[in-house]
Amino acid sequence: MSDTTSTGSGAATPTRRQLIVGLVRYGMFIALALWLVAMSLASEYFLTPTNILNVMRQAAPVIIIGVGMTFVMATAGIDLSVGSTVALVSVLTAGWLALGLPAWVVLPLVLAVGAAVGMANGFIITLGVPAFVVTLAGLTSIRGFAFVYSDGYATPITDPVMIWIGRGDILGVNTPFAISIAVAVLGWFLLNRTRFGLHALATGGREEAARVMGLAINRIKILVYAMTGALAALAGIVVSARLSNGSPNSGVMLELEVIAATVLGGTSLFGGRATIAGTVVGALLIYFVRNGLNLLGVNPYWVQVVTGIILVVAVLMNTVLNQKVESWARAAGEDES
Amino acid sequence: MSANLIEMRNISKSFGAVTALSDVTLTLPHGSVLGLVGDNAAGKSTLMKVLAGAITPDRGKILIDGAPGRYSHPIGARDAGIEMIYQDFALVPDLTVAQNIFLGREIMRSVAGVPILDRKTMSARARELFAGLGLRVPSVTLPVVALSGGQQQAVAIARATAFNARLVIMDEPTANLGAPAIEKVRETITRLKENGVAVIIISHRLEDIFAIGDAMMVMKQGRVVGTRAVDDTENAEIVEMIVTGRDPRERTAVPA
């Protein structure tokens, strides 16, 4: 653009600037890497394949639902009902398998239930009720359904397909984590390479602009909630399979972990900015921190405190600091050109 | 081909008890620049939103090139070659320049039967657009939020002209702009006109319309006060029409 930036300092400053912008933008990736290194030095049990794969298995449900939540937040929405959907799917799966229905019937059916629940959420939201209220109502009533259906009892699961989903592995990777990575890759593709992902981001970025550009905003909203509902159902299958039972108490507070992971990763609560890779890293960070502190023998109650502090610091970095640094870098860049 | 690109006939629109437009008729020849002026609440923006498909009128019809235009959606209007540049530009801040230009009309390519966004082609097309319009942005892959107000307007103009527009409607294009940016907008409008694109400008700044327009239409309280060719009127007459809501020539035309 300009022929005045030929001095030596002009070449060095942009590099340093890019470094600082990168440090802030990829802060969570760096934090995760640093934590992994620190924990490897602090505990001999941390960096073992068994431990690592175990943490990944624990994180799988949060990653799976987090992919959907990333889309919901891209549209400036939120879904508090996912933990309850996990419980509903858990009792339905166990109940229907106990009736003697084969897994290949039950699994598609419960995924459809999850999608239908999400679609209902999305539809009510398009009528103008805030997403927070709609899905908060979902949080209580869907778990209520789970209790009504199961009468409060857990049902054991013995189906071999379910056992494989919960405890088997694919090429040495446990099935839950393998499923979560497959979901994340598909989610990344959908968000970054397809019209649907772009329109979801546009809807959350500035709804009025998306509207006058003729985007089908209501359809997009219903789809992101339906997708999140279906993914919550998938997570419900994984959770029940791992525990070998269907319980109306499964997935309690899971919605908050999913939201925490998504926000930790850098997706904006206000819409328009979303990252699937960030969500995966956010989920892994939460579970590796918990695992590391456990291995160090830290009081588990402190783990909750630490998780909360990390969340606040991360949001601070993602919103305030990130914006400041990027506009600073931009201003500095414009001065030179 | 009809002599006029656009004819809006007897358009009326009410919002509840408020009559926003009553019996408005507008004629726009091909490739001409029309200034739409009037006080606040004169109905200028409402009339243009009707033309752009964002508002459906209660009565009246729109002829595009002599054929009735039937659309109830901005997409329909755009398919007919009518584009609107909103006062706030209607851009999505976190999307890139290229993504904004092609929003809703993305260029896709197919990989193994799956349609995916053809980002390379869209970026290349966006660069061509800016070059063709003589407008500049730092990069088409930068998010719009990183651009200055004038650059954001350039993006909105590029988007409006990206798909063979025959009419570009601009809502207050020179409001909130500095003198060099205003000059740039005037140049752009002149260039559009040279390319056979008609332009309707909603503006409070009469000097812009006198500088680059062919005609102006004055509105007040949802009605047309009068229409003038730019070289057949002067500032004082237009101001009088805006303020009084009456056409002085009609008054004198009535035999005393």
Side-chain angles (χ1 to χ4, degrees):
Chain A
M1 283 260 158
S2 155
D3 50 359
T4 56
T5 55
S6 49
T7 53
S9 66
T13 327
T15 317
R16 193 147 31 124
R17 207 163 55 220
Q18 277 174 1
L19 192 72
I20 293 169
V21 170
L23 272 177
V24 174
R25 188 179 296 164
Y26 298 106
M28 278 309 111
F29 292 72
I30 297 164
L32 178 62
L34 288 178
W35 177 259
L36 293 181
V37 171
M39 281 312 302
S40 312
L41 299 175
S43 166
E44 55 182 312
Y45 303 109
F46 184 78
L47 202 62
T48 57
T50 318
N51 186 52
I52 299 289
L53 287 172
N54 204 19
V55 174
M56 288 175 167
R57 182 183 4 233
Q58 289 165 3
V62 171
I63 294 174
I64 292 169
I65 307 174
V67 169
M69 192 68 77
T70 306
F71 278 85
V72 166
M73 284 196 192
T75 67
I78 195 150
D79 191 344
L80 299 172
S81 71
V82 289
S84 297
T85 304
V86 165
L88 179 64
V89 165
S90 182
V91 296
L92 289 180
T93 306
W96 289 344
L97 286 172
L99 288 178
L101 291 171
W104 60 268
V105 173
V106 172
L107 298 188
L109 221 52
V110 293
L111 287 175
V113 168
V117 166
M119 205 177 280
N121 278 338
F123 176 71
I124 299 168
I125 287 163
T126 59
L127 297 180
V129 187
F132 186 91
V133 175
V134 173
T135 59
L136 183 64
L139 179 145
T140 63
S141 56
I142 296 166
R143 192 173 293 279
F145 270 123
F147 274 100
V148 169
Y149 179 83
S150 64
D151 220 3
Y153 292 109
T155 309
I157 292 172
T158 53
D159 184 89
V161 175
M162 288 295 281
I163 301 292
W164 176 76
I165 291 174
R167 303 184 182 172
D169 57 65
I170 300 171
L171 303 171
V173 179
N174 58 73
T175 318
F177 190 64
I179 291 174
S180 73
I181 289 310
V183 167
V185 169
L186 281 175
W188 177 88
F189 176 80
L190 205 55
L191 183 65
N192 297 297
R193 291 291 180 270
T194 71
R195 195 174 260 158
F196 172 64
L198 181 67
H199 288 187
L201 287 165
T203 300
R206 184 171 289 170
E207 189 165 330
E208 195 42 42
R211 198 182 300 280
V212 298
M213 285 301 116
L215 304 194
I217 289 171
N218 287 349
R219 204 190 60 164
I220 293 163
K221 285 188 179 171
I222 292 172
L223 276 175
V224 295
Y225 287 95
M227 178 180 149
T228 304
L231 289 173
L234 180 59
I237 293 170
V238 168
V239 168
S240 328
R242 199 177 80 219
L243 302 174
S244 300
N245 80 46
S247 159
N249 285 308
S250 55
V252 173
M253 301 272 276
L254 192 62
E255 60 282 338
L256 296 185
E257 278 186 17
V258 172
I259 292 165
T262 310
V263 172
L264 264 178
T267 293
S268 166
L269 271 167
F270 308 109
R273 280 180 179 217
T275 152
I276 298 286
T279 300
V280 173
V281 169
L284 289 176
L285 186 67
I286 289 175
Y287 279 89
F288 272 115
V289 165
R290 190 171 298 172
N291 171 255
L293 294 178
N294 284 343
L295 288 179
L296 293 180
V298 175
N299 179 340
Y301 295 125
W302 276 113
V303 175
Q304 298 182 16
V305 176
V306 170
T307 310
I309 292 171
I310 292 175
L311 186 60
V312 171
V313 172
V315 172
L316 211 61
M317 277 181 66
N318 284 340
T319 55
V320 184
L321 197 58
N322 195 3
Q323 261 169 31
K324 280 204 174 138
V325 166
E326 286 195 6
S327 61
W328 160 78
R330 239 176 251 137
E334 270 169 25
D335 284 348
E336 278 162 24
S337 58
Chain B
M1 189 162 127
S2 162
N4 291 320
L5 173 63
I6 302 288
E7 284 180 49
M8 299 179 81
R9 287 188 188 161
N10 311 104
I11 303 285
S12 295
K13 175 73 187 177
S14 302
F15 298 103
V18 182
T19 305
L21 295 172
S22 95
D23 212 20
V24 174
T25 292
L26 177 152
T27 308
L28 183 71
H30 286 274
S32 70
V33 177
L34 174 73
L36 194 53
V37 297
D39 224 336
N40 290 333
K44 302 167 299 203
S45 291
T46 309
L47 184 67
M48 288 304 103
K49 282 178 183 165
V50 167
L51 189 52
I55 292 178
T56 311
D58 299 333
R59 273 191 310 280
K61 62 176 171 181
I62 301 172
L63 299 181
I64 301 167
D65 220 352
R70 294 186 198 287
Y71 46 79
S72 55
H73 202 267
I75 291 273
R78 265 185 279 157
D79 288 344
I82 299 171
E83 297 274 352
M84 177 142 180
I85 299 174
Y86 292 84
Q87 195 172 355
D88 67 355
F89 309 140
L91 300 170
V92 183
D94 284 319
L95 296 189
T96 68
V97 171
Q99 283 172 329
N100 265 291
I101 288 176
F102 291 95
L103 188 60
R105 293 179 289 196
E106 295 82 4
I107 300 172
M108 308 299 284
R109 65 194 172 96
S110 171
V111 173
V114 181
I116 68 169
L117 298 167
D118 190 346
R119 300 188 298 173
K120 238 183 227 160
T121 306
M122 285 191 274
S123 292
R125 280 274 296 125
R127 277 185 214 104
E128 284 169 25
L129 271 170
F130 284 109
L133 288 164
L135 296 171
R136 287 233 280 186
V137 288
S139 159
V140 296
T141 55
L142 218 58
V144 160
V145 69
L147 304 181
S148 69
Q151 289 168 338
Q152 292 191 9
Q153 184 174 45
V155 177
I157 292 172
R159 176 171 68 185
T161 54
F163 300 89
N164 302 317
R166 292 194 288 175
L167 165 65
V168 174
I169 303 163
M170 297 185 175
D171 193 352
E172 298 287 357
T174 51
N176 315 317
L177 289 185
I182 289 175
E183 192 45 47
K184 195 81 216 175
V185 172
R186 287 181 178 183
E187 269 173 40
T188 308
I189 293 170
T190 308
R191 196 185 282 232
L192 288 174
K193 185 186 167 170
E194 284 164 8
N195 293 333
V197 178
V199 179
I200 298 179
I201 312 164
I202 303 174
S203 184
H204 279 101
R205 287 169 44 94
L206 294 181
E207 62 262 44
D208 289 332
I209 298 164
F210 275 106
I212 53 173
D214 298 309
M216 48 178 102
M217 183 166 117
V218 183
M219 291 182 72
K220 192 176 174 83
Q221 288 170 347
R223 294 174 181 280
V224 179
V225 177
T227 306
R228 290 281 184 283
V230 160
D231 49 20
D232 180 36
T233 186
E234 54 186 12
N235 207 38
E237 188 186 25
I238 297 294
V239 171
E240 187 192 339
M241 288 164 79
I242 291 173
V243 175
T244 64
R246 274 198 291 267
D247 189 336
R249 296 188 196 183
E250 268 178 21
R251 200 172 15 174
T252 53
V254 176

